[in-house]
Amino acid sequence: MSEVTASTSSYIWTLQDVLGQGATASVFKARNKRTGELVAVKVFNAVSYNRPYEVQMREFEMLRKLSHSNIVKLYAVEELLSKQKVLVMEYCSGGNLLSLLEEPENAFGLPEKEFFTLLQCVVQGMNHLRENGVVHRDIKPGNIMRQVGDDGKSVYKLTDFGAARELEDDEKFISIYGTEEYLHPDMYERAVLRKPHQKTYGVSVDLWSIGVTFYHAATGSLPFTPYGGPRKNKTTMYKITAEKPMGAIAGIQKTEDGPIEWSYHLPHSCQLSQGLKLHLVPVLAGILEADQDRCWGFDQFFTATTDILQREPVHVFSLQQAVVHSVYIHHYSTVSVFFEDVMSQTGIGVEQQHLLYLGHDLLLEGNMKVANLPPTSPSQPLILLSYGTETNSSLPFREPETPPIPSRFDIMADYNFSKVIVGVVHQYLRTVQLMYRHRELLLQGYYSYMMKLQKECGEANYSISKIIIRLQSCLTLEHRLHTLCHSTSENSSSVDITQKLHSVREHLPIYAAGIQEFQNRLELLQIEQAKLAEILASDKSCQKMAVLLQKITTIHQHYRKDRLTGKLMYNDEQIHKFEKIHLSSHIKRVKSLFREDCMQRYKELLASTRTWSSLLLEMQTRLEDFSSFSVGLLADLEISEQCQNKDLDRILISLQSRNAGQQPLTTPRDKDQMVSRMHHLKEEMEILVRELQCNNSVIERWGALNSAVSLDPSLTRPSTLRKV
């Protein structure tokens, strides 16, 4: 082997292209000599050959046995000229999970979509191991590779099976493998603290390592951290893991010899939604259990994680609460179950929930399937209106914690601080971007709410017009009936109708004036909302934060070079100190921008939306009251018309009977009077029929006009569904 390159019969690589190094082997990026295809080669060193032969052969045998898209493929086993074994494996362009978590933008954990992909890949890979009776024994972020496809999507793959062995669910082993931060406490006690005991270990040790790995990926930090770090305070590290209360998923010691602070939830700073946390935390609590008898088995783990992976997020923005929710639910669940899940996350009762999508009512039947809901995303969620008195009293955003800047000149301390602060400012920028998205959703949501009420005001005006027309028709008919009854000496059965109709006619102008007032107020609110949207659109805080992040990143890169240089010359040291002053200034500007610009504007918007919400809820309640009143009134008018029609029919029957001679007429004069009266009544009846036909035509035209006005041509109405 030369100093620069190495090769086997089919592959070649340079010694500088190191992908990873371990105690027994190094991994390099290599190429196929014939095709140029990229591969990863694992070259075993002399230490590896001191192990028993069966241990040396174990990794080859395991990889030959396994074949799955979430396990790194073994292509071939070759040899160097020195007869050293070389494993030729699949090359993963995205590095490993540990390197991904060390990137500053992931200092507080992976984004939710990426974490969900990781969860899916690791669960599927582990399921394949269990189906083949294999325990990995060294699960950690460094042993999870990331392949990036042409579409930019990640595929995670388990690798490094040097510690793996065949083991059924009920079997035990006594040998020690693994990385100490990810070791089960029983194994940690023996391997790290060197305390002998008679305990044996089963397949559940992989579950503990998976739990630590998932927590690390979700938060950017290890779950169990003693003061000074796991490697410097091993005794306390064991104490935290071994004495962890049931249900706790993290424990941290913040001061020397201080108390351990237990956590039963994922931190607010991680990027996972409350909806995903709701399902993930019980899994972490079940597998991060020191007592092997109480720890979940793989069957329970696979059941719980498969249930999570089969769920899909429905994005919901609770308008009055100003909070985004991701409701993870099975596509085959009913809408009734979805409403219940929304209630559990928001506290808004099912009867108080009203959904909007793309500015339109989304009315759903409870027995529909969730698969029929429209597609949602964080930027285009369902807008949830509450018909209760909800408030947006609590802010969904928290300012990231910033460590103090080192006061003394120290190359290593300054480098470590700059690395941390780049991650923190990434979190600041991400928080500001979320704030911007919330602002857009608030403005869009309240605009849709106002348009909804404006449409309902139009429908109320139409109802009033319809009532007025029918009311006038009833009053006219009632007047004619009284005249006919008086002329024919008949009695009317609707004695109180006239008084009731006149009472209704007196109240209608009050309702009409109230609705007109609502329309005027809505126009003023829309003007206020448009002005506020224009002001917020000119806000450049997000761009300013991104520029500050770039400046801080540049200083961090400068400090990385200083760290590699070691001892600095005088001029370089002065430049280093000046950069530290600039770094401190940039950090202050970041905090000022967040607190005095972004957060202040957001609070002002929330204050405005509280006022809007109160006014709109009042309008909503009044319009619902009027809607109930108008429905009842139209029903009363219908009954009145039926009574009037009965009276009219009775009078006609009476007249026909008289005309047929059932009541004898004594004199020619009486006969002439009766004929004249009959002609007059016939004319009255023809007038009534024409008026009723005219009224019906007017009502139909009003309905068509109202429908045309309520349509917004700039929006496409989704399929009309109805909620029960």
Side-chain angles (χ1 to χ4, degrees):
M1 180 188 292
S2 70
E3 294 181 0
V4 179
T5 64
S7 66
T8 64
S9 59
S10 303
Y11 298 91
I12 188 170
W13 62 94
T14 69
L15 300 184
Q16 294 178 338
D17 280 338
V18 181
L19 298 177
Q21 287 182 312
T24 59
S26 297
V27 182
F28 301 91
K29 181 169 71 172
R31 292 182 183 274
N32 186 298
K33 289 181 178 179
R34 184 172 59 85
T35 66
E37 177 191 9
L38 285 172
V39 295
V41 292
K42 186 172 184 176
V43 182
F44 292 89
N45 58 29
V47 175
S48 69
Y49 293 99
N50 294 328
R51 300 175 298 169
Y53 179 75
E54 63 272 12
V55 174
Q56 296 178 38
M57 298 301 296
R58 186 179 290 160
E59 185 167 8
F60 311 152
E61 294 168 357
M62 289 296 171
L63 285 172
R64 284 195 179 108
K65 181 178 181 180
L66 302 171
S67 177
H68 193 272
S69 60
N70 297 121
I71 293 175
V72 170
K73 292 185 179 71
L74 174 67
Y75 293 145
V77 179
E78 298 201 357
E79 289 184 348
L80 297 172
L81 293 175
S82 61
K83 301 301 182 182
Q84 288 175 277
K85 294 287 184 183
V86 174
L87 294 183
V88 182
M89 300 179 295
E90 177 182 8
Y91 171 71
C92 295
S93 58
N96 59 39
L97 175 60
L98 182 61
S99 63
L100 183 66
L101 291 172
E102 287 179 342
E103 293 179 5
E105 58 265 37
N106 297 321
F108 292 87
L110 299 178
E112 180 160 325
K113 193 172 182 179
E114 189 70 17
F115 179 85
F116 199 83
T117 300
L118 171 70
L119 177 69
Q120 182 179 47
C121 293
V122 171
V123 167
Q124 291 174 350
M126 289 303 302
N127 190 37
H128 184 69
L129 294 188
R130 292 312 311 138
E131 287 175 348
N132 286 274
V134 173
V135 57
H136 188 284
R137 298 200 289 183
D138 197 14
I139 299 290
K140 59 181 179 179
N143 285 340
I144 300 174
M145 303 305 296
R146 176 174 172 248
Q147 183 68 277
V148 182
D150 294 336
D151 57 359
K153 294 182 179 178
S154 302
V155 178
Y156 292 91
K157 301 169 181 281
L158 300 176
T159 190
D160 194 350
F161 287 83
R165 61 165 291 178
E166 294 188 51
L167 195 74
E168 296 303 325
D169 287 349
D170 56 351
E171 286 188 275
K172 302 290 183 181
F173 63 91
I174 59 173
S175 53
I176 298 295
Y177 291 92
T179 304
E180 60 184 83
E181 288 90 347
Y182 302 88
L183 277 179
H184 187 282
D186 287 347
M187 297 181 73
Y188 188 96
E189 182 183 23
R190 182 173 153 198
V192 179
L193 300 183
R194 305 294 181 184
K195 292 183 178 180
H197 56 63
Q198 302 302 315
K199 294 179 181 178
T200 56
Y201 319 108
V203 295
S204 62
V205 298
D206 266 358
L207 288 175
W208 177 278
S209 300
I210 290 172
V212 177
T213 299
F214 281 163
Y215 186 97
H216 190 177
T219 67
S221 305
L222 291 167
F224 309 113
T225 311
Y227 180 78
R231 297 283 174 118
K232 294 182 179 179
N233 196 343
K234 300 178 187 296
T235 303
T236 306
M237 177 67 177
Y238 172 72
K239 176 182 174 66
I240 293 174
T241 55
E243 299 179 4
K244 181 188 73 67
M246 186 182 296
I249 61 172
I252 183 170
Q253 186 187 46
K254 294 184 176 179
T255 58
E256 189 172 4
D257 298 325
I260 298 167
E261 297 179 10
W262 303 109
S263 177
Y264 298 81
H265 308 282
L266 289 168
H268 186 276
S269 59
C270 86
Q271 299 187 59
L272 305 188
S273 67
Q274 191 60 37
L276 183 54
K277 290 178 184 178
L278 187 70
H279 298 286
L280 180 64
V281 167
V283 175
L284 295 179
I287 60 179
L288 289 174
E289 176 55 63
D291 187 338
Q292 293 190 59
D293 294 330
R294 288 204 307 256
C295 181
W296 281 12
F298 266 101
D299 287 343
Q300 192 172 1
F301 170 74
F302 287 133
T303 299
T305 51
T306 302
D307 178 77
I308 295 174
L309 295 171
Q310 288 176 345
R311 295 173 180 267
E312 296 176 358
V314 178
H315 301 278
V316 178
F317 182 66
S318 179
L319 187 62
Q320 287 95 333
Q321 296 173 332
V323 178
V324 170
H325 296 276
S326 295
V327 180
Y328 276 81
I329 190 167
H330 297 111
H331 69 278
Y332 54 77
S333 295
T334 63
V335 167
S336 293
V337 174
F338 171 70
F339 287 142
E340 293 290 338
D341 286 354
V342 170
M343 181 176 69
S344 68
Q345 287 197 37
T346 65
I348 299 173
V350 173
E351 296 302 319
Q352 301 297 320
Q353 297 173 23
H354 187 90
L355 294 174
L356 299 177
Y357 182 68
L358 296 179
H360 294 281
D361 289 336
L362 183 66
L363 304 174
L364 305 170
E365 292 185 358
N367 60 355
M368 289 178 57
K369 299 298 183 185
V370 169
N372 293 321
L373 289 174
T376 63
S377 66
S379 59
Q380 189 174 289
L382 302 180
I383 301 295
L384 172 64
L385 301 182
S386 170
Y387 287 165
T389 54
E390 305 298 328
T391 58
N392 53 23
S393 55
S394 61
L395 291 173
F397 309 107
R398 296 183 187 177
E399 183 174 354
E401 295 183 6
T402 307
I405 191 167
S407 56
R408 298 173 58 188
F409 170 75
D410 185 318
I411 294 175
M412 183 57 70
D414 290 344
Y415 164 77
N416 289 332
F417 172 79
S418 68
K419 180 180 179 181
V420 171
I421 209 65
V422 170
V424 170
V425 177
H426 267 287
Q427 184 78 339
Y428 267 103
L429 178 59
R430 189 160 42 240
T431 305
V432 170
Q433 291 168 339
L434 284 173
M435 208 178 295
Y436 270 48
R437 185 187 299 166
H438 274 226
R439 288 183 350 190
E440 288 295 321
L441 291 175
L442 281 167
L443 292 171
Q444 292 173 9
Y446 275 102
Y447 175 79
S448 298
Y449 194 4
M450 292 173 193
M451 293 302 293
K452 173 181 181 295
L453 290 182
Q454 196 171 58
K455 177 185 174 185
E456 291 179 9
C457 284
E459 292 171 350
N461 278 327
Y462 166 61
S463 296
I464 288 175
S465 302
K466 187 165 63 171
I467 290 169
I468 289 173
I469 293 172
R470 297 194 71 166
L471 180 61
Q472 188 61 43
S473 175
C474 286
L475 287 171
T476 303
L477 185 56
E478 189 66 22
H479 174 71
R480 300 291 170 81
L481 280 173
H482 278 297
T483 303
L484 289 173
C485 289
H486 179 72
S487 301
T488 58
S489 302
E490 295 287 341
N491 294 322
S492 175
S493 61
S494 52
V495 179
D496 298 327
I497 288 179
T498 303
Q499 183 179 356
K500 186 183 296 185
L501 294 178
H502 281 292
S503 174
V504 169
R505 187 167 64 177
E506 291 174 359
H507 285 85
L508 280 177
I510 300 174
Y511 281 105
I515 292 169
Q516 183 59 51
E517 180 191 352
F518 287 167
Q519 289 178 311
N520 295 338
R521 291 165 75 180
L522 280 172
E523 289 177 4
L524 293 174
L525 286 179
Q526 287 170 352
I527 292 171
E528 179 186 343
Q529 191 254 14
K531 288 181 178 178
L532 193 53
E534 187 176 351
I535 293 171
L536 293 176
S538 64
D539 181 14
K540 303 298 182 184
S541 300
C542 196
Q543 293 90 325
K544 293 176 182 177
M545 187 76 76
V547 170
L548 286 168
L549 172 60
Q550 183 57 50
K551 290 179 177 179
I552 291 171
T553 302
T554 301
I555 293 174
H556 168 61
Q557 291 168 347
H558 181 91
Y559 279 8
R560 179 188 295 165
K561 292 178 182 177
D562 288 351
R563 183 199 61 165
L564 295 175
T565 302
K567 187 172 178 60
L568 301 180
M569 301 295 289
Y570 176 79
N571 289 340
D572 292 331
E573 182 178 322
Q574 295 307 304
I575 293 173
H576 182 104
K577 291 177 179 178
F578 282 130
E579 292 285 36
K580 195 168 183 178
I581 294 172
H582 293 151
L583 181 60
S584 177
S585 175
H586 296 332
I587 294 170
K588 289 178 181 177
R589 178 62 185 136
V590 165
K591 293 181 177 181
S592 173
L593 196 61
F594 182 83
R595 296 170 185 171
E596 299 170 16
D597 288 21
C598 305
M599 188 61 77
Q600 187 60 35
R601 284 195 175 100
Y602 188 75
K603 288 179 178 178
E604 289 170 359
L605 175 60
L606 285 185
S608 296
T609 60
R610 290 190 193 105
T611 303
W612 300 346
S613 180
S614 178
L615 290 172
L616 296 175
L617 182 59
E618 178 191 351
M619 292 183 194
Q620 184 75 52
T621 304
R622 296 276 297 278
L623 286 169
E624 286 178 355
D625 290 343
F626 174 74
S627 178
S628 299
F629 164 78
S630 62
V631 169
L633 184 55
L634 286 170
D636 289 343
L637 290 173
E638 187 75 28
I639 293 172
S640 297
E641 289 176 353
Q642 291 173 3
C643 292
Q644 290 170 336
N645 287 331
K646 286 180 181 178
D647 284 346
L648 189 59
D649 290 341
R650 185 166 45 80
I651 293 170
L652 287 173
I653 292 171
S654 176
L655 289 172
Q656 289 172 354
S657 298
R658 292 181 185 183
N659 191 38
Q662 293 181 2
Q663 292 185 2
L665 302 174
T666 56
T667 65
R669 184 179 178 184
D670 291 337
K671 290 181 180 180
D672 292 340
Q673 289 177 347
M674 180 58 68
V675 171
S676 175
R677 189 179 299 165
M678 288 295 295
H679 283 295
H680 182 69
L681 287 173
K682 182 180 179 182
E683 292 173 358
E684 295 274 356
M685 291 297 300
E686 289 174 349
I687 291 171
L688 283 173
V689 170
R690 286 198 299 270
E691 287 180 349
L692 289 173
Q693 289 175 344
C694 180
N695 289 342
N696 288 334
S697 298
V698 171
I699 291 171
E700 289 174 2
R701 286 199 300 273
W702 266 98
L705 179 62
N706 181 72
S707 298
V709 171
S710 65
L711 289 175
D712 185 350
S714 66
L715 298 174
T716 302
R717 182 182 297 276
S719 300
T720 303
L721 307 169
R722 188 172 55 183
K723 176 179 174 182
V724 293

